Amino acid sequence: VDLRIVYDRIRKSKNEVDLANVEVAKPTAPLHKIANDKVKLFIESKCVLDRIVSENRATTSTAVPALQISGRNVQLYSLRLVEKGLYVAVWEGAAALPGTPKNVHALRQLYSLLARFKASITRVADLELADDQDTNDPGIADFTRPTWIPPRENERLPPLPEYFFTMSS
């Protein structure tokens, strides 16, 4: 992950927690780099969402934002845990970095998208501020699944988890 948006809980528990993530790629990046960046964003967003659930702060409407910048293109996604074991990534919008200062329309679209990103981050941060409140929806703590992280290049493929093939009851 190229950029982490964190909430600083140093005063209370001496740590910081992730709220959102950003991946950035050059304009000349190959398609597989952009696809790998998106996978990294979703895996990291799942880890953030699982942490929020484990700390009894999530609802089924909790969404962890992720921003992908590749060249001049900007994509906003969010990840939600909607049912037992079902994580849903939602495309929230796109914009382009303006090519010239005169392109006010592109600048407005970018500003709007970044404002949505900020609002999503603020909603996740508000869950952190409700530090002693149990805000989880009933039963959502049982919704999470373990995270399988794919290997980096030149590494052996770890065994695929059983839940990739069966649905537990």
Side-chain angles (χ1 to χ4, degrees):
V1 173
D2 295 330
L3 175 68
R4 295 170 46 221
I5 312 297
V6 298
Y7 174 74
D8 191 359
R9 294 196 299 195
I10 298 291
R11 290 185 189 152
K12 293 193 179 197
S13 59
K14 301 198 183 326
N15 66 356
E16 54 190 31
V17 294
D18 288 6
L19 303 176
N21 303 290
V22 179
E23 279 288 342
V24 181
K26 296 178 185 177
T28 58
L31 191 55
H32 70 86
K33 160 75 170 132
I34 296 167
N36 286 344
D37 282 356
K38 190 182 298 184
V39 168
K40 286 193 293 185
L41 278 175
F42 291 151
I43 289 172
E44 186 60 30
S45 295
K46 180 192 178 299
C47 293
V48 171
L49 190 53
D50 287 350
R51 178 195 50 79
I52 293 169
V53 169
S54 74
E55 294 176 352
N56 295 323
R57 294 190 170 107
T59 67
T60 53
S61 65
T62 301
V64 175
L67 195 69
Q68 184 176 24
I69 303 169
S70 51
R72 292 183 42 224
N73 299 314
V74 182
Q75 305 279 332
L76 177 60
Y77 301 96
S78 65
L79 189 76
R80 293 173 171 81
L81 179 57
V82 296
E83 287 290 334
K84 186 171 185 172
L86 180 60
Y87 295 81
V88 176
V90 177
W91 179 77
E92 299 285 349
L97 297 170
T100 66
K102 294 180 181 181
N103 194 345
V104 177
H105 178 70
L107 191 57
R108 280 189 188 142
Q109 284 183 319
L110 179 63
Y111 175 79
S112 175
L113 189 71
L114 293 177
R116 289 173 63 192
F117 184 53
K118 180 185 175 206
S120 294
I121 293 169
T122 302
R123 283 191 293 277
V124 176
D126 287 345
L127 294 171
E128 294 299 330
L129 294 173
D131 53 358
D132 291 330
Q133 298 176 9
D134 184 348
T135 56
N136 266 4
D137 280 348
I140 196 171
D142 298 329
F143 282 12
T144 62
R145 286 189 168 191
T147 303
W148 184 82
I149 299 178
R152 297 189 181 271
E153 290 182 35
N154 301 324
E155 289 182 8
R156 284 186 52 112
L157 183 68
L160 293 175
E162 182 179 317
Y163 62 81
F164 270 25
F165 306 105
T166 61
M167 189 64 179
S168 61
S169 50

